[in-house]
Amino acid sequence: YEGPIRFREFSISSAIALGLTMGLYENVGLAVIVALALTILAMRLMLSRRLGGAAGYALAGGIAICELVVFATMAALTA
């Protein structure tokens, strides 16, 4: 176990991801980022309240849900 991610690593990775997404996808990228942020927040609240934390299988399920939200948002906005 490496320990939790610190704010510095989180902010740097978020800025890079936001910059790349906005540069490549413009307005659709912004909608995807907002949808993904809301999904991550909902998953974190659900995992904390229901399971008392995030186990390995719960994280894998959360990743699958986030991917599904990204694909659904992209499909809805580009169709």
Side-chain angles (χ1 to χ4, degrees), residues 1-14:
Y1 181 69
E2 294 292 328
I5 186 171
R6 294 189 307 260
F7 182 74
R8 183 178 62 210
E9 290 98 9
F10 177 73
S11 62
I12 291 170
S13 64
S14 296

Side-chain angles (χ1 to χ4, degrees), residues 40-60:
I40 291 171
L41 180 63
M43 289 297 300
R44 185 190 182 308
L45 291 173
M46 186 191 73
L47 291 175
S48 293
R49 290 185 183 191
R50 293 262 180 165
L51 301 177
Y57 289 118
L59 289 176

